[in-house]
Amino acid sequence: MSDQGQAMDEARRRQYLKAMGIQVWVPRREPEAGLDLSPPESVAVAPGAEDVAGAVTATAVDAGAVPDPTPVPEQAPAVEAPPVVVDASVGREPPPEPEMPPWLDEAPWPDDGYEPVMSSGEGYYDPDLPEPDDGVSSLDWDGLAARVAQCTHCSELSQARTQTVFGVGDRQADWLFIGEAPGADEDRQGEPFVGRAGKLLDSMLSALGRKRGEGVYIANILKCRPPRNRDPSPEEARACRPYLDRQIQLIRPRILVALGRVAAQNLLETSDALGTLRGRVRTYRGIPVVVTYHPAYLLRRPLEKRKAWEDLCRAMDQIQAGQKGS
């Protein structure tokens, strides 16, 4: 990597860490330069020592001296010493844990609005769930928003919701972030990713040099909030998929970022674990997809923010590679 590329990566890393409230970043250390980790050389006779001994013996015989009848014991073969293993961390303090962002203390987790999570589909049964009509793929933005607002495909969700949560942001964005479904705050305000998880997502966007509404669009797999914050059922995700697909067609983003396990599994139509889905670029309808953690998860597991930053860097690299190739 060029010096300029390294400087860009370092600047991006520091920008993200500052936005996330991580004050100290300690990378994995390599052994110090100049530290010889090779095993010691075998113990051996110095070069020329055997020739000198032979010369002395020959001189004594030539002079008429009577050699000592006592046999000289042969020199024991050299024994190699075992390799020396040096622990580069000896004598060093362990890297400090990153500090918690100050806004994490603003409210306890879970807060007063928390509801217990129910597993997918528990208590949900609708065998006659209709498929969305075929006209969704031809709708413009206004028509699509109106169709979503009037949707009653999922009877349980449509009856329990305050309002649908269509999506928000730049309709010509390069970045499309996709979550799983609205929560209680989103259901009240009609906008995805508000509250504490939304603030963290905004910090992540800021570290990328982006912000909500500028170069970024945010949507969800579902447009309605599932009761008790349960995962979307497969039927619900299937019924809502045409709306998300049409948003993707209208936006034409350069990258899709799936936030969390539920979003990634539904978008990519897989049951693979999040740990399997992370770490490499995938595709959906020809668009690169990067999978990372949901901001709500990062609030509970702040040490995973480092991995989330790696994922976002991978997405940024993908966009930059696409720009060079275009």
Side-chain angles (χ1 to χ4, degrees):
M1 181 181 296
S2 66
D3 293 341
Q4 183 179 3
Q6 292 176 347
M8 291 177 63
D9 287 346
E10 179 64 21
R12 190 174 4 157
R13 180 184 298 110
R14 293 184 180 277
Q15 183 183 16
Y16 178 80
L17 294 174
K18 181 179 179 181
M20 300 286 281
I22 296 177
Q23 303 297 324
V24 180
W25 172 273
V26 181
R28 294 179 180 173
R29 297 174 180 245
E30 298 293 335
E32 296 179 359
L35 181 61
D36 186 6
L37 301 182
S38 59
E41 296 182 357
S42 304
V43 178
V45 179
E50 294 180 357
D51 295 338
V52 172
V56 171
T57 303
T59 302
V61 172
D62 293 342
V66 178
D68 189 349
T70 303
V72 178
E74 297 183 359
Q75 185 176 5
V79 178
E80 293 187 3
V84 178
V85 179
V86 179
D87 186 352
S89 65
V90 173
R92 298 176 183 168
E93 295 183 359
E97 295 184 356
E99 296 182 6
M100 301 285 276
W103 44 264
L104 282 179
D105 297 327
E106 294 177 1
W109 181 271
D111 56 27
D112 295 338
Y114 177 79
E115 294 181 358
V117 176
M118 188 170 72
S119 60
S120 301
E122 181 179 341
Y124 180 86
Y125 181 69
D126 193 350
D128 298 324
L129 185 70
E131 295 291 340
D133 62 52
D134 296 332
V136 172
S137 61
S138 63
L139 295 174
D140 60 11
W141 278 108
D142 292 340
L144 182 61
R147 183 71 63 86
V148 169
Q150 300 168 2
C151 181
T152 57
H153 285 314
C154 307
S155 58
E156 183 187 26
L157 303 189
S158 62
Q159 293 173 13
R161 74 191 181 207
T162 301
Q163 59 187 315
T164 57
V165 181
F166 181 69
V168 66
D170 186 348
R171 292 180 175 181
Q172 296 179 332
D174 288 340
W175 295 74
L176 174 53
F177 287 79
I178 302 173
E180 57 183 85
D185 292 333
E186 290 79 5
D187 180 65
R188 285 191 296 267
Q189 300 183 36
E191 181 175 335
F193 285 92
V194 297
R196 295 169 65 237
K199 289 180 181 179
L200 178 55
L201 179 58
D202 290 341
S203 296
M204 296 163 70
L205 298 179
S206 176
L208 294 169
R210 302 288 188 274
K211 63 181 180 179
R212 191 179 297 229
E214 295 185 8
V216 172
Y217 196 91
I218 306 172
N220 281 311
I221 295 293
L222 292 192
K223 307 303 183 187
C224 298
R225 179 198 179 203
R228 296 175 293 282
N229 290 342
R230 63 168 170 78
D231 291 348
S233 71
E235 294 82 9
E236 291 164 349
R238 185 172 63 250
C240 225
R241 172 55 67 87
Y243 301 140
L244 177 61
D245 283 344
R246 184 54 180 161
Q247 287 177 306
I248 295 174
Q249 291 172 348
L250 291 171
I251 297 170
R252 300 171 63 88
R254 289 179 176 269
I255 193 78
L256 302 175
V257 180
L259 298 170
R261 172 187 60 83
V262 175
Q265 290 178 341
N266 279 280
L267 181 67
L268 299 173
E269 298 180 341
T270 179
S271 59
D272 290 346
L274 182 66
T276 302
L277 296 173
R278 284 187 58 255
R280 68 184 182 89
V281 178
R282 302 170 186 276
T283 59
Y284 178 71
R285 298 194 173 186
I287 303 174
V289 178
V290 169
V291 176
T292 191
Y293 297 103
H294 194 284
Y297 175 83
L298 296 177
L299 290 176
R300 301 189 297 269
R301 301 289 187 273
L303 293 181
E304 301 293 355
K305 291 178 181 178
R306 298 181 182 184
K307 295 179 181 179
W309 174 235
E310 293 174 358
D311 298 332
L312 295 179
C313 287
R314 184 175 295 108
M316 178 66 80
D317 292 341
Q318 185 68 33
I319 284 187
Q320 293 176 345
Q323 291 173 341
K324 292 178 181 179
S326 59

